[in-house]
Amino acid sequence: MNPLVSVVLPVYNVEKYISACMDSILNQTFQDFEIIVIDDCSTDNTINVITSYKDARIRIIKKEENKGLIDSLNIGFKEANGKYIARVDGDDINALDRFEKQYNFLEKNREIKVCGSWLKSFGAYDKEIKHKEFHEQIKAQLLLSNPMSLGATMLNRLAYKDFNFKKEMLHVEDYDFWARTAWICKMHNLQEVLYYYRTHQNQVSTKFKKIQLQNDIIIKLNLYKKLEYDSIKFTDSFLTKLLYTKEFISLKEFKLFFEWKKQLIKQNKRLKVFGNKPFKTILEKIVDSLIYSIYFVGDRKAIDKKWRLKALFILPLRKILYILKKKSKL
């Protein structure tokens, strides 16, 4: 009989951390699971540590060639037998009631196909990551950042059986995965910390930041394109320059940005790609971020006081009042 949950655990050279991770899985309050370990040709004692656990639920797949995390994830998802897949990373730790809470939520809310949670990082730095709760909030949040942490999620296996992780989306495979599936599979994040994310200098987010940022932009631009705006007038290069660089922007480009925003709202109202309220909230955050960088951080190249004064005539009145009010407090 198949287990209810398949724990997909890719590992590579995590001998220092894997015991804590395994203990946090094996000591769960929910016990109907298998653990599929996918070893990406570790050169340390990772596998020896795992095999020291004498538990029949542990299955180890040793890859013949080091092909990276994306390959390991695709193998793990294919090999999973459970109704649900619980993702875990080998250097992280689960709250002991994580599986029970996520399983119960998915069983009670069958329309939801993936359940995540808040995270707390530890190690190099400590921070609580509070993901949005409801599907429409999560979907709109995709325009800003990755709204769910894959390692902290439990997924309905059959709902995601036709999707895989794209090898070309290196180091943003989870973000890309949600961006492709959010319109087919409903998502939810439990509003409590159920996963502890270890931070250290050897992890992907530290070593490959530049590649991550480049692929992040690709994902975000593809999401905006769902709104079918005028991509000839509002080109990828224009949007990338304005939203994701610190390069100089002309007053004409600044004005064009607000035309783009207006068109996005109109298109979303027509196409219903995102929920209107969460979408408008995210757009305001994007506008505020741009304004803040121009008027308070001053990190845009060659933008001076004269430029800023002229730009005030482009801004909506409420944004001008926001700037003046904030400036008066400095």
Side-chain angles (χ1 to χ4, degrees), residues 56-117:
R57 295 173 296 178
I58 301 171
R59 178 156 57 104
I60 300 173
I61 299 171
K62 294 183 180 180
K63 292 161 64 174
E64 295 181 359
E65 183 181 348
N66 180 282
K67 291 186 177 181
L69 176 61
I70 294 173
D71 180 70
S72 295
L73 287 173
N74 285 330
I75 291 171
F77 273 53
K78 186 178 179 180
E79 291 289 327
N81 297 306
K83 181 177 182 179
Y84 299 108
I85 293 173
R87 266 285 290 119
V88 181
D89 285 315
D91 49 359
D92 297 337
I93 297 173
N94 304 278
L96 296 183
D97 56 355
R98 174 196 156 186
F99 294 176
E100 180 182 4
K101 287 181 174 178
Q102 290 181 323
Y103 174 82
N104 287 341
F105 180 86
L106 289 169
E107 285 290 292
K108 290 175 184 176
N109 300 274
R110 297 297 179 93
E111 76 281 7
I112 305 296
K113 302 305 179 185
V114 57
C115 179
S117 72

Short mmCIF file of all heavy atoms in Angstrom, two decimals, residues 56-117:
data_model
loop_
_atom_site.label_atom_id
_atom_site.label_comp_id
_atom_site.label_asym_id
_atom_site.label_seq_id
_atom_site.Cartn_x
_atom_site.Cartn_y
_atom_site.Cartn_z
N ALA A 56 12.81 1.45 7.21
CA ALA A 56 12.43 0.88 5.91
C ALA A 56 11.76 1.90 4.99
O ALA A 56 11.63 1.66 3.78
CB ALA A 56 11.49 -0.31 6.13
N ARG A 57 11.34 3.01 5.54
CA ARG A 57 10.67 4.03 4.73
C ARG A 57 11.65 4.87 3.91
O ARG A 57 11.24 5.64 3.05
CB ARG A 57 9.82 4.94 5.61
CG ARG A 57 8.66 4.22 6.29
CD ARG A 57 7.97 5.13 7.29
NE ARG A 57 8.86 5.51 8.39
CZ ARG A 57 8.52 6.33 9.38
NH1 ARG A 57 7.31 6.88 9.40
NH2 ARG A 57 9.38 6.61 10.34
N ILE A 58 12.93 4.71 4.20
CA ILE A 58 13.95 5.51 3.50
C ILE A 58 14.39 4.79 2.23
O ILE A 58 14.81 3.63 2.28
CB ILE A 58 15.17 5.77 4.40
CG1 ILE A 58 14.75 6.50 5.68
CG2 ILE A 58 16.23 6.57 3.65
CD1 ILE A 58 15.86 6.60 6.72
N ARG A 59 14.31 5.46 1.11
CA ARG A 59 14.77 4.92 -0.17
C ARG A 59 15.79 5.88 -0.75
O ARG A 59 15.52 7.07 -0.92
CB ARG A 59 13.59 4.74 -1.12
CG ARG A 59 13.97 4.21 -2.50
CD ARG A 59 12.79 3.51 -3.17
NE ARG A 59 11.61 4.36 -3.29
CZ ARG A 59 11.21 4.93 -4.44
NH1 ARG A 59 11.93 4.75 -5.55
NH2 ARG A 59 10.12 5.66 -4.49
N ILE A 60 16.98 5.37 -1.07
CA ILE A 60 18.06 6.21 -1.57
C ILE A 60 18.28 5.96 -3.06
O ILE A 60 18.46 4.83 -3.50
CB ILE A 60 19.37 5.96 -0.80
CG1 ILE A 60 19.19 6.28 0.69
CG2 ILE A 60 20.50 6.82 -1.38
CD1 ILE A 60 20.38 5.90 1.55
N ILE A 61 18.25 7.03 -3.83
CA ILE A 61 18.56 6.97 -5.26
C ILE A 61 19.90 7.67 -5.47
O ILE A 61 20.02 8.87 -5.22
CB ILE A 61 17.46 7.65 -6.10
CG1 ILE A 61 16.12 6.95 -5.90
CG2 ILE A 61 17.85 7.67 -7.58
CD1 ILE A 61 14.94 7.68 -6.52
N LYS A 62 20.90 6.91 -5.89
CA LYS A 62 22.23 7.47 -6.13
C LYS A 62 22.41 7.76 -7.61
O LYS A 62 22.40 6.83 -8.43
CB LYS A 62 23.32 6.50 -5.64
CG LYS A 62 23.33 6.28 -4.14
CD LYS A 62 24.47 5.37 -3.73
CE LYS A 62 24.51 5.14 -2.23
NZ LYS A 62 25.63 4.25 -1.83
N LYS A 63 22.54 9.01 -7.94
CA LYS A 63 22.73 9.39 -9.34
C LYS A 63 24.14 9.03 -9.79
O LYS A 63 25.09 9.10 -9.01
CB LYS A 63 22.48 10.89 -9.52
CG LYS A 63 21.03 11.27 -9.31
CD LYS A 63 20.83 12.75 -9.04
CE LYS A 63 21.24 13.61 -10.21
NZ LYS A 63 20.90 15.04 -9.96
N GLU A 64 24.27 8.65 -11.03
CA GLU A 64 25.58 8.27 -11.57
C GLU A 64 26.41 9.48 -11.97
O GLU A 64 27.63 9.38 -12.13
CB GLU A 64 25.39 7.35 -12.78
CG GLU A 64 24.77 6.01 -12.43
CD GLU A 64 24.62 5.10 -13.64
OE1 GLU A 64 24.99 5.55 -14.76
OE2 GLU A 64 24.16 3.96 -13.48
N GLU A 65 25.75 10.61 -12.12
CA GLU A 65 26.44 11.82 -12.55
C GLU A 65 25.85 13.01 -11.82
O GLU A 65 24.64 13.08 -11.60
CB GLU A 65 26.28 11.98 -14.07
CG GLU A 65 27.02 13.16 -14.66
CD GLU A 65 26.79 13.26 -16.16
OE1 GLU A 65 26.26 12.31 -16.76
OE2 GLU A 65 27.14 14.32 -16.73
N ASN A 66 26.70 13.95 -11.44
CA ASN A 66 26.24 15.17 -10.79
C ASN A 66 25.54 16.06 -11.81
O ASN A 66 26.19 16.63 -12.69
CB ASN A 66 27.42 15.90 -10.13
CG ASN A 66 26.98 17.19 -9.45
OD1 ASN A 66 26.75 18.19 -10.10
ND2 ASN A 66 26.88 17.15 -8.14
N LYS A 67 24.22 16.18 -11.70
CA LYS A 67 23.45 16.98 -12.68
C LYS A 67 22.68 18.11 -12.04
O LYS A 67 21.91 18.80 -12.72
CB LYS A 67 22.50 16.06 -13.45
CG LYS A 67 23.19 15.08 -14.39
CD LYS A 67 22.16 14.32 -15.21
CE LYS A 67 22.83 13.40 -16.21
NZ LYS A 67 21.83 12.66 -17.03
N GLY A 68 22.85 18.31 -10.74
CA GLY A 68 22.24 19.46 -10.10
C GLY A 68 20.87 19.21 -9.50
O GLY A 68 20.25 18.16 -9.67
N LEU A 69 20.38 20.23 -8.80
CA LEU A 69 19.13 20.14 -8.04
C LEU A 69 17.91 19.92 -8.92
O LEU A 69 17.03 19.12 -8.58
CB LEU A 69 18.94 21.42 -7.21
CG LEU A 69 17.63 21.52 -6.42
CD1 LEU A 69 17.51 20.40 -5.40
CD2 LEU A 69 17.52 22.89 -5.74
N ILE A 70 17.84 20.61 -10.06
CA ILE A 70 16.65 20.49 -10.91
C ILE A 70 16.46 19.05 -11.37
O ILE A 70 15.34 18.51 -11.33
CB ILE A 70 16.76 21.45 -12.12
CG1 ILE A 70 16.71 22.90 -11.63
CG2 ILE A 70 15.64 21.18 -13.12
CD1 ILE A 70 16.97 23.93 -12.70
N ASP A 71 17.54 18.41 -11.76
CA ASP A 71 17.48 17.00 -12.16
C ASP A 71 17.01 16.13 -10.99
O ASP A 71 16.18 15.23 -11.15
CB ASP A 71 18.85 16.55 -12.66
CG ASP A 71 18.88 15.10 -13.09
OD1 ASP A 71 18.26 14.79 -14.13
OD2 ASP A 71 19.51 14.28 -12.39
N SER A 72 17.54 16.41 -9.80
CA SER A 72 17.15 15.63 -8.61
C SER A 72 15.67 15.80 -8.28
O SER A 72 14.98 14.84 -7.92
CB SER A 72 18.00 16.06 -7.40
OG SER A 72 19.36 15.74 -7.59
N LEU A 73 15.17 17.03 -8.41
CA LEU A 73 13.75 17.28 -8.13
C LEU A 73 12.86 16.52 -9.10
O LEU A 73 11.86 15.91 -8.69
CB LEU A 73 13.46 18.78 -8.23
CG LEU A 73 13.98 19.66 -7.10
CD1 LEU A 73 13.76 21.14 -7.43
CD2 LEU A 73 13.30 19.32 -5.78
N ASN A 74 13.22 16.53 -10.37
CA ASN A 74 12.41 15.82 -11.37
C ASN A 74 12.41 14.32 -11.13
O ASN A 74 11.38 13.65 -11.29
CB ASN A 74 12.91 16.15 -12.78
CG ASN A 74 12.50 17.54 -13.23
OD1 ASN A 74 11.47 18.05 -12.82
ND2 ASN A 74 13.33 18.17 -14.06
N ILE A 75 13.55 13.79 -10.70
CA ILE A 75 13.62 12.37 -10.36
C ILE A 75 12.72 12.08 -9.15
O ILE A 75 11.93 11.13 -9.15
CB ILE A 75 15.07 11.93 -10.06
CG1 ILE A 75 15.91 11.95 -11.33
CG2 ILE A 75 15.10 10.54 -9.42
CD1 ILE A 75 17.40 11.76 -11.10
N GLY A 76 12.84 12.91 -8.12
CA GLY A 76 12.07 12.70 -6.91
C GLY A 76 10.57 12.76 -7.13
O GLY A 76 9.81 11.92 -6.62
N PHE A 77 10.12 13.73 -7.91
CA PHE A 77 8.69 13.87 -8.18
C PHE A 77 8.17 12.68 -9.00
O PHE A 77 7.05 12.22 -8.81
CB PHE A 77 8.40 15.19 -8.91
CG PHE A 77 8.20 16.36 -7.98
CD1 PHE A 77 9.13 16.67 -7.01
CD2 PHE A 77 7.08 17.15 -8.09
CE1 PHE A 77 8.95 17.75 -6.14
CE2 PHE A 77 6.88 18.23 -7.23
CZ PHE A 77 7.82 18.52 -6.26
N LYS A 78 9.01 12.18 -9.90
CA LYS A 78 8.62 11.02 -10.72
C LYS A 78 8.55 9.75 -9.88
O LYS A 78 7.69 8.88 -10.09
CB LYS A 78 9.62 10.85 -11.86
CG LYS A 78 9.24 9.77 -12.85
CD LYS A 78 10.24 9.69 -14.00
CE LYS A 78 9.88 8.59 -14.98
NZ LYS A 78 10.86 8.50 -16.10
N GLU A 79 9.46 9.62 -8.93
CA GLU A 79 9.53 8.40 -8.11
C GLU A 79 8.52 8.38 -6.98
O GLU A 79 8.27 7.33 -6.38
CB GLU A 79 10.94 8.26 -7.52
CG GLU A 79 12.02 7.93 -8.54
CD GLU A 79 11.91 6.52 -9.07
OE1 GLU A 79 11.49 5.63 -8.30
OE2 GLU A 79 12.23 6.30 -10.26
N ALA A 80 7.92 9.51 -6.66
CA ALA A 80 7.01 9.60 -5.52
C ALA A 80 5.77 8.74 -5.73
O ALA A 80 5.21 8.69 -6.83
CB ALA A 80 6.60 11.06 -5.31
N ASN A 81 5.34 8.08 -4.68
CA ASN A 81 4.16 7.21 -4.72
C ASN A 81 2.99 7.74 -3.91
O ASN A 81 1.87 7.24 -4.03
CB ASN A 81 4.52 5.81 -4.18
CG ASN A 81 5.57 5.12 -5.02
OD1 ASN A 81 5.41 4.97 -6.23
ND2 ASN A 81 6.66 4.69 -4.39
N GLY A 82 3.24 8.71 -3.06
CA GLY A 82 2.21 9.18 -2.14
C GLY A 82 1.13 10.02 -2.80
O GLY A 82 1.28 10.50 -3.92
N LYS A 83 0.06 10.21 -2.07
CA LYS A 83 -0.99 11.13 -2.52
C LYS A 83 -0.45 12.55 -2.56
O LYS A 83 -0.81 13.35 -3.44
CB LYS A 83 -2.19 11.04 -1.57
CG LYS A 83 -3.35 11.94 -1.96
CD LYS A 83 -4.54 11.75 -1.01
CE LYS A 83 -5.72 12.63 -1.45
NZ LYS A 83 -6.88 12.45 -0.56
N TYR A 84 0.43 12.84 -1.61
CA TYR A 84 1.04 14.16 -1.53
C TYR A 84 2.56 14.05 -1.55
O TYR A 84 3.12 13.02 -1.14
CB TYR A 84 0.60 14.89 -0.25
CG TYR A 84 -0.88 15.13 -0.16
CD1 TYR A 84 -1.66 14.40 0.74
CD2 TYR A 84 -1.50 16.07 -0.97
CE1 TYR A 84 -3.03 14.62 0.82
CE2 TYR A 84 -2.87 16.29 -0.90
CZ TYR A 84 -3.63 15.56 0.00
OH TYR A 84 -4.99 15.78 0.08
N ILE A 85 3.19 15.11 -2.02
CA ILE A 85 4.66 15.22 -1.99
C ILE A 85 5.02 16.31 -1.00
O ILE A 85 4.52 17.44 -1.11
CB ILE A 85 5.23 15.56 -3.38
CG1 ILE A 85 5.02 14.40 -4.35
CG2 ILE A 85 6.70 15.93 -3.28
CD1 ILE A 85 5.41 14.73 -5.79
N ALA A 86 5.88 15.99 -0.05
CA ALA A 86 6.42 17.00 0.87
C ALA A 86 7.88 17.24 0.50
O ALA A 86 8.67 16.30 0.44
CB ALA A 86 6.32 16.52 2.32
N ARG A 87 8.19 18.49 0.18
CA ARG A 87 9.57 18.83 -0.17
C ARG A 87 10.35 19.24 1.06
O ARG A 87 9.86 19.96 1.93
CB ARG A 87 9.57 20.00 -1.17
CG ARG A 87 9.63 19.57 -2.61
CD ARG A 87 11.03 19.09 -3.01
NE ARG A 87 11.96 20.20 -3.07
CZ ARG A 87 13.06 20.30 -2.32
NH1 ARG A 87 13.36 19.37 -1.44
NH2 ARG A 87 13.87 21.33 -2.47
N VAL A 88 11.60 18.75 1.12
CA VAL A 88 12.51 19.12 2.20
C VAL A 88 13.91 19.25 1.60
O VAL A 88 14.28 18.47 0.72
CB VAL A 88 12.52 18.06 3.33
CG1 VAL A 88 13.46 18.48 4.45
CG2 VAL A 88 11.12 17.81 3.88
N ASP A 89 14.68 20.22 2.08
CA ASP A 89 16.08 20.34 1.69
C ASP A 89 16.96 19.80 2.81
O ASP A 89 16.66 19.94 4.00
CB ASP A 89 16.44 21.80 1.40
CG ASP A 89 15.88 22.27 0.07
OD1 ASP A 89 16.01 21.52 -0.91
OD2 ASP A 89 15.33 23.38 0.00
N GLY A 90 18.08 19.20 2.41
CA GLY A 90 18.91 18.44 3.34
C GLY A 90 19.62 19.24 4.40
O GLY A 90 20.15 18.66 5.36
N ASP A 91 19.64 20.56 4.26
CA ASP A 91 20.29 21.38 5.29
C ASP A 91 19.28 22.16 6.13
O ASP A 91 19.65 23.02 6.92
CB ASP A 91 21.32 22.33 4.68
CG ASP A 91 20.79 23.11 3.49
OD1 ASP A 91 19.63 22.89 3.12
OD2 ASP A 91 21.55 23.92 2.93
N ASP A 92 17.99 21.84 5.98
CA ASP A 92 16.94 22.55 6.71
C ASP A 92 16.27 21.65 7.74
O ASP A 92 16.55 20.45 7.81
CB ASP A 92 15.89 23.10 5.72
CG ASP A 92 16.48 24.13 4.77
OD1 ASP A 92 17.53 24.72 5.10
OD2 ASP A 92 15.91 24.32 3.68
N ILE A 93 15.37 22.24 8.53
CA ILE A 93 14.72 21.52 9.62
C ILE A 93 13.21 21.80 9.58
O ILE A 93 12.78 22.93 9.36
CB ILE A 93 15.29 21.96 10.99
CG1 ILE A 93 16.78 21.59 11.08
CG2 ILE A 93 14.51 21.33 12.14
CD1 ILE A 93 17.47 22.14 12.31
N ASN A 94 12.42 20.76 9.78
CA ASN A 94 10.96 20.89 9.81
C ASN A 94 10.45 21.02 11.24
O ASN A 94 10.97 20.36 12.15
CB ASN A 94 10.31 19.64 9.22
CG ASN A 94 10.77 19.35 7.81
OD1 ASN A 94 10.29 19.93 6.85
ND2 ASN A 94 11.73 18.43 7.69
N ALA A 95 9.42 21.83 11.44
CA ALA A 95 8.68 21.75 12.69
C ALA A 95 8.07 20.36 12.76
O ALA A 95 7.65 19.80 11.73
CB ALA A 95 7.59 22.81 12.72
N LEU A 96 8.00 19.77 13.94
CA LEU A 96 7.60 18.37 14.06
C LEU A 96 6.13 18.11 13.72
O LEU A 96 5.75 16.96 13.48
CB LEU A 96 7.93 17.85 15.46
CG LEU A 96 9.43 17.82 15.80
CD1 LEU A 96 9.64 17.22 17.18
CD2 LEU A 96 10.23 17.05 14.75
N ASP A 97 5.34 19.15 13.67
CA ASP A 97 3.93 18.97 13.29
C ASP A 97 3.65 19.51 11.89
O ASP A 97 2.49 19.66 11.50
CB ASP A 97 3.00 19.63 14.31
CG ASP A 97 3.28 21.11 14.51
OD1 ASP A 97 4.28 21.62 13.93
OD2 ASP A 97 2.54 21.77 15.25
N ARG A 98 4.70 19.79 11.12
CA ARG A 98 4.52 20.35 9.78
C ARG A 98 3.66 19.44 8.89
O ARG A 98 2.66 19.89 8.31
CB ARG A 98 5.87 20.58 9.11
CG ARG A 98 5.73 21.03 7.65
CD ARG A 98 7.01 20.91 6.83
NE ARG A 98 6.65 20.79 5.43
CZ ARG A 98 7.53 20.55 4.46
NH1 ARG A 98 8.81 20.40 4.72
NH2 ARG A 98 7.11 20.44 3.20
N PHE A 99 4.05 18.18 8.74
CA PHE A 99 3.33 17.27 7.83
C PHE A 99 1.87 17.10 8.24
O PHE A 99 0.97 17.09 7.39
CB PHE A 99 4.01 15.90 7.78
CG PHE A 99 5.38 15.88 7.17
CD1 PHE A 99 6.13 14.71 7.15
CD2 PHE A 99 5.95 17.01 6.60
CE1 PHE A 99 7.40 14.67 6.59
CE2 PHE A 99 7.21 16.99 6.02
CZ PHE A 99 7.94 15.82 6.02
N GLU A 100 1.64 16.97 9.53
CA GLU A 100 0.28 16.78 10.03
C GLU A 100 -0.60 17.98 9.67
O GLU A 100 -1.72 17.82 9.17
CB GLU A 100 0.29 16.60 11.55
CG GLU A 100 -1.09 16.41 12.15
CD GLU A 100 -1.07 16.29 13.66
OE1 GLU A 100 0.01 16.42 14.26
OE2 GLU A 100 -2.15 16.05 14.24
N LYS A 101 -0.09 19.18 9.88
CA LYS A 101 -0.88 20.39 9.63
C LYS A 101 -1.13 20.60 8.14
O LYS A 101 -2.24 20.96 7.73
CB LYS A 101 -0.21 21.60 10.25
CG LYS A 101 -0.32 21.62 11.76
CD LYS A 101 0.34 22.86 12.38
CE LYS A 101 0.07 22.90 13.89
NZ LYS A 101 0.72 24.05 14.54
N GLN A 102 -0.12 20.36 7.32
CA GLN A 102 -0.30 20.54 5.88
C GLN A 102 -1.20 19.46 5.29
O GLN A 102 -2.07 19.75 4.46
CB GLN A 102 1.06 20.56 5.18
CG GLN A 102 1.86 21.82 5.49
CD GLN A 102 3.20 21.86 4.79
OE1 GLN A 102 3.87 20.83 4.64
NE2 GLN A 102 3.62 23.03 4.37
N TYR A 103 -1.03 18.23 5.73
CA TYR A 103 -1.87 17.13 5.26
C TYR A 103 -3.34 17.39 5.62
O TYR A 103 -4.23 17.27 4.77
CB TYR A 103 -1.41 15.80 5.86
CG TYR A 103 -2.32 14.64 5.53
CD1 TYR A 103 -2.23 13.98 4.31
CD2 TYR A 103 -3.31 14.23 6.43
CE1 TYR A 103 -3.09 12.93 4.00
CE2 TYR A 103 -4.17 13.20 6.13
CZ TYR A 103 -4.06 12.55 4.90
OH TYR A 103 -4.92 11.52 4.59
N ASN A 104 -3.60 17.75 6.86
CA ASN A 104 -4.97 17.99 7.30
C ASN A 104 -5.60 19.15 6.53
O ASN A 104 -6.78 19.09 6.17
CB ASN A 104 -5.02 18.27 8.80
CG ASN A 104 -4.77 17.04 9.64
OD1 ASN A 104 -4.92 15.91 9.16
ND2 ASN A 104 -4.38 17.22 10.89
N PHE A 105 -4.82 20.17 6.27
CA PHE A 105 -5.35 21.32 5.52
C PHE A 105 -5.74 20.91 4.10
O PHE A 105 -6.82 21.25 3.62
CB PHE A 105 -4.35 22.46 5.48
CG PHE A 105 -4.86 23.66 4.72
CD1 PHE A 105 -5.64 24.62 5.35
CD2 PHE A 105 -4.60 23.80 3.36
CE1 PHE A 105 -6.14 25.70 4.64
CE2 PHE A 105 -5.09 24.88 2.65
CZ PHE A 105 -5.87 25.84 3.29
N LEU A 106 -4.87 20.18 3.43
CA LEU A 106 -5.15 19.75 2.05
C LEU A 106 -6.33 18.79 1.98
O LEU A 106 -7.11 18.82 1.03
CB LEU A 106 -3.90 19.11 1.44
CG LEU A 106 -2.75 20.08 1.14
CD1 LEU A 106 -1.47 19.31 0.80
CD2 LEU A 106 -3.10 21.03 -0.01
N GLU A 107 -6.46 17.94 2.98
CA GLU A 107 -7.59 17.00 3.01
C GLU A 107 -8.92 17.74 3.22
O GLU A 107 -9.95 17.35 2.66
CB GLU A 107 -7.39 15.97 4.12
CG GLU A 107 -6.36 14.92 3.79
CD GLU A 107 -6.83 13.96 2.71
OE1 GLU A 107 -7.77 13.18 2.97
OE2 GLU A 107 -6.28 14.00 1.59
N LYS A 108 -8.89 18.81 4.00
CA LYS A 108 -10.12 19.55 4.29
C LYS A 108 -10.46 20.57 3.21
O LYS A 108 -11.59 21.04 3.13
CB LYS A 108 -9.98 20.26 5.64
CG LYS A 108 -9.98 19.32 6.84
CD LYS A 108 -9.71 20.08 8.12
CE LYS A 108 -9.61 19.13 9.31
NZ LYS A 108 -9.25 19.85 10.56
N ASN A 109 -9.45 20.93 2.41
CA ASN A 109 -9.64 21.96 1.38
C ASN A 109 -9.18 21.39 0.04
O ASN A 109 -8.11 21.73 -0.47
CB ASN A 109 -8.86 23.22 1.73
CG ASN A 109 -9.27 23.83 3.06
OD1 ASN A 109 -10.21 24.60 3.14
ND2 ASN A 109 -8.56 23.45 4.13
N ARG A 110 -10.00 20.52 -0.55
CA ARG A 110 -9.60 19.76 -1.73
C ARG A 110 -9.33 20.64 -2.96
O ARG A 110 -8.64 20.20 -3.88
CB ARG A 110 -10.66 18.71 -2.06
CG ARG A 110 -10.86 17.65 -0.98
CD ARG A 110 -9.60 16.82 -0.77
NE ARG A 110 -9.77 15.82 0.26
CZ ARG A 110 -10.14 14.56 0.06
NH1 ARG A 110 -10.41 14.16 -1.16
NH2 ARG A 110 -10.26 13.71 1.06
N GLU A 111 -9.88 21.85 -2.98
CA GLU A 111 -9.63 22.74 -4.12
C GLU A 111 -8.20 23.29 -4.10
O GLU A 111 -7.67 23.74 -5.13
CB GLU A 111 -10.64 23.90 -4.14
CG GLU A 111 -10.41 25.00 -3.13
CD GLU A 111 -10.88 24.66 -1.70
OE1 GLU A 111 -11.29 23.50 -1.46
OE2 GLU A 111 -10.84 25.56 -0.85
N ILE A 112 -7.55 23.25 -2.94
CA ILE A 112 -6.16 23.70 -2.80
C ILE A 112 -5.23 22.54 -3.16
O ILE A 112 -5.40 21.43 -2.65
CB ILE A 112 -5.86 24.19 -1.37
CG1 ILE A 112 -6.84 25.29 -0.95
CG2 ILE A 112 -4.42 24.68 -1.26
CD1 ILE A 112 -6.76 26.56 -1.74
N LYS A 113 -4.25 22.80 -4.01
CA LYS A 113 -3.37 21.73 -4.48
C LYS A 113 -1.96 21.80 -3.91
O LYS A 113 -1.19 20.84 -4.06
CB LYS A 113 -3.31 21.75 -6.01
CG LYS A 113 -4.67 21.59 -6.69
CD LYS A 113 -5.40 20.34 -6.22
CE LYS A 113 -6.77 20.20 -6.87
NZ LYS A 113 -7.53 19.05 -6.34
N VAL A 114 -1.61 22.91 -3.28
CA VAL A 114 -0.30 22.99 -2.62
C VAL A 114 -0.43 23.87 -1.38
O VAL A 114 -1.09 24.90 -1.39
CB VAL A 114 0.79 23.55 -3.56
CG1 VAL A 114 0.42 24.91 -4.11
CG2 VAL A 114 2.15 23.61 -2.87
N CYS A 115 0.20 23.40 -0.32
CA CYS A 115 0.14 24.11 0.96
C CYS A 115 1.56 24.39 1.45
O CYS A 115 2.37 23.47 1.63
CB CYS A 115 -0.61 23.27 1.99
SG CYS A 115 -0.72 24.03 3.62
N GLY A 116 1.86 25.66 1.64
CA GLY A 116 3.15 26.07 2.18
C GLY A 116 3.00 26.62 3.59
O GLY A 116 1.99 26.37 4.25
N SER A 117 3.99 27.37 4.02
CA SER A 117 3.94 27.94 5.37
C SER A 117 4.92 29.11 5.45
O SER A 117 5.64 29.41 4.51
CB SER A 117 4.31 26.89 6.42
OG SER A 117 5.71 26.60 6.38
#
